[in-house]
Amino acid sequence: MPTFSFELYPPRTEAAEGALYLSLAHLVAAGPEFISVTYGADGSSREPSLAVLAKILDGTDVRPMAHLTCVGSSYAQASQLIREFLDAGITSFLALRGDPPAGAAEGDDFLGDLGSAGELVQLIHRVQSERAPFAFEDVPGFPGAKRLTSGEKVTIAVAAFPNGHPRSRSVDQDLDTLLAKEAAGANLAITQLFFQADDYLGFVDRARSAGVTMRILPGIMPVLSPNRLRRILELSGENIPVELERDLADAGSSAEQAAVGVRHATALGHDLLAGGAPGIHLYTFNKHEPVLAVLRGIGLLGEPQPISPEETSPEETSPERVSA
Ligand code: FAD
């Protein structure tokens, strides 16, 4: 059975927080494999990101996944950050380099001690093994017996770019980068958004030929308005999806635009699963209705169950991360 998972971003206001937690209840009820929470590359979202992760960890049975970035950090700062998240009980990470700070260009001296996400993957493993070098586990078939393990294993996901990272020199560089991240200890990849199933399916074929073996989950975003589409294209550098752009422009009301966005994302999800994708990762923008409608359309979810009498639609704000 294909998996599904969601991405949230930490809220910036009390009203947005209330709306997020209402949406969270609906997302959790759907039974995702995990819910990831973005992290601002300037470190400003450390506390709010941790608060959302703690809410998922303590209040639900869904696995929280923390995005972490390393851009601009010293080794000591990055290690401290990782330790803090591990201490909070988080054992799944999406290790990212993070975007350059506003105004800085790629190639400027903004990186800090860790030059790439692959180095952050290694550091997470190192901090984890220093923190819990030994652990014991049950021995199957021998009730009460315990054996030594090498410590609790963390899940470390990394980003992948089916149409290339905006600043990479070639497709080969992106594949090399992904392979290096797996060699560093990553065990899951999540893609940047894209609009054609063949972009993902062709990329996965090339990644497999290059030696990448980890699961690669396609990231899908229902695009609910022409403005949102414009912003996403600016940030991600993706090519204009001509049909989606036209259908959004032709839709009269915002409800019709949202329906267009859901319809396109559903068709994409359907084609991806038909092409062999192991699941889908949905960018929610902290709204549950569109992504749950996509999952229902693809056939991964039944009809909605009532959650709370005071259900309202959460307000829409900008995501923490700079890239789409
Ligand atoms: P890397 O894997 O380090 O790669 C970055 C670039 O450097 C690529 O062009 C790569 O080809 C090149 N490169 C890497 N290593 C080498 C090398 N050894 N030699 C030459 N070139 C190399 N950003 C946030 O700030 N917060 C978030 O929460 C966040 N979540 C994201 C979630 C997903 C699913 C995705 C796809 C992106 C997310 N981003 C987030 C954006 C991400 O931080 C940016 O895209 C960033 O510019 C690159 O990060 P990376 O982890 O891919 O970096």
Side-chain angles (χ1 to χ4, degrees):
M1 182 72 173
T3 62
F4 60 88
S5 47
F6 301 119
E7 177 186 291
L8 299 175
Y9 64 90
R12 293 209 179 94
T13 63
E14 261 182 45
E17 183 179 304
L20 167 63
Y21 289 144
L22 189 58
S23 267
L24 180 62
H26 290 269
L27 295 171
V28 165
E33 181 192 5
F34 61 85
I35 297 180
S36 78
V37 180
T38 64
Y39 185 84
D42 61 359
S44 61
S45 79
R46 190 179 56 83
E47 275 183 33
S49 292
L50 256 181
V52 178
L53 290 159
K55 184 94 176 174
I56 300 169
L57 184 68
D58 300 337
T60 79
D61 55 6
V62 173
R63 180 159 55 100
M65 176 183 283
H67 295 210
L68 283 187
T69 63
C70 57
V71 70
S73 298
S74 66
Y75 278 114
Q77 287 168 329
S79 304
Q80 171 57 31
L81 182 69
I82 296 163
R83 232 173 269 120
E84 199 177 333
F85 277 66
L86 287 167
D87 286 346
I90 306 300
T91 54
S92 293
F93 296 94
L94 175 52
L96 300 145
R97 192 196 68 177
D99 285 315
E106 200 74 28
D108 287 358
D109 186 19
F110 62 82
L111 281 176
D113 286 348
L114 293 98
S116 69
E119 291 178 46
L120 181 60
V121 172
Q122 281 175 330
L123 189 62
I124 294 171
H125 277 301
R126 195 173 325 137
V127 172
Q128 161 67 10
S129 60
E130 283 165 9
R131 197 173 157 275
F134 303 112
F136 295 90
E137 65 182 4
D138 292 333
V139 184
F142 295 89
K146 301 275 179 198
R147 70 182 170 200
L148 200 59
T149 72
S150 56
E152 189 186 0
K153 288 278 179 254
V154 288
T155 298
I156 306 186
V158 289
F161 297 83
N163 291 322
H165 186 278
R167 284 130 192 159
S168 77
R169 288 184 297 272
S170 66
V171 175
D172 283 348
Q173 186 189 339
D174 281 301
L175 292 174
D176 288 349
T177 303
L178 190 58
L179 197 54
K181 292 195 264 197
E182 182 167 352
N187 38 32
L188 176 68
I190 303 177
T191 75
Q192 176 64 292
L193 64 87
F194 56 88
F195 296 101
Q196 303 295 332
D198 283 346
D199 295 348
Y200 165 86
L201 298 171
F203 173 75
V204 171
D205 279 350
R206 290 192 298 280
R208 297 290 176 240
S209 303
V212 175
T213 62
M214 64 187 160
R215 202 155 51 113
I216 303 175
L217 287 177
I220 299 186
M221 181 186 291
V223 183
L224 308 180
S225 71
N227 280 347
R228 170 65 58 79
L229 178 61
R230 215 165 297 126
R231 182 84 182 120
I232 287 164
L233 296 178
E234 262 170 42
L235 294 174
S236 67
E238 290 291 312
N239 290 327
I240 296 172
V242 179
E243 273 183 42
L244 174 60
E245 188 187 44
R246 185 200 57 211
D247 291 351
L248 285 171
D250 288 350
S253 65
S254 54
E256 284 166 12
Q257 290 172 352
V260 164
V262 167
R263 196 176 74 238
H264 275 261
T266 303
L268 178 58
H270 185 271
D271 290 350
L272 289 166
L273 295 184
I280 57 174
H281 184 66
L282 286 147
Y283 299 115
T284 70
F285 273 87
N286 289 7
K287 278 175 163 277
H288 62 279
E289 298 101 331
V291 293
L292 296 184
V294 170
L295 289 176
R296 279 195 292 277
I298 301 172
L300 290 182
L301 209 61
E303 282 311 302
Q305 300 298 315
I307 296 280
S308 142
E310 70 271 12
E311 181 180 338
T312 55
S313 199
E315 75 174 27
E316 194 169 311
T317 52
S318 317
E320 268 310 315
R321 63 182 161 106
V322 181
S323 296

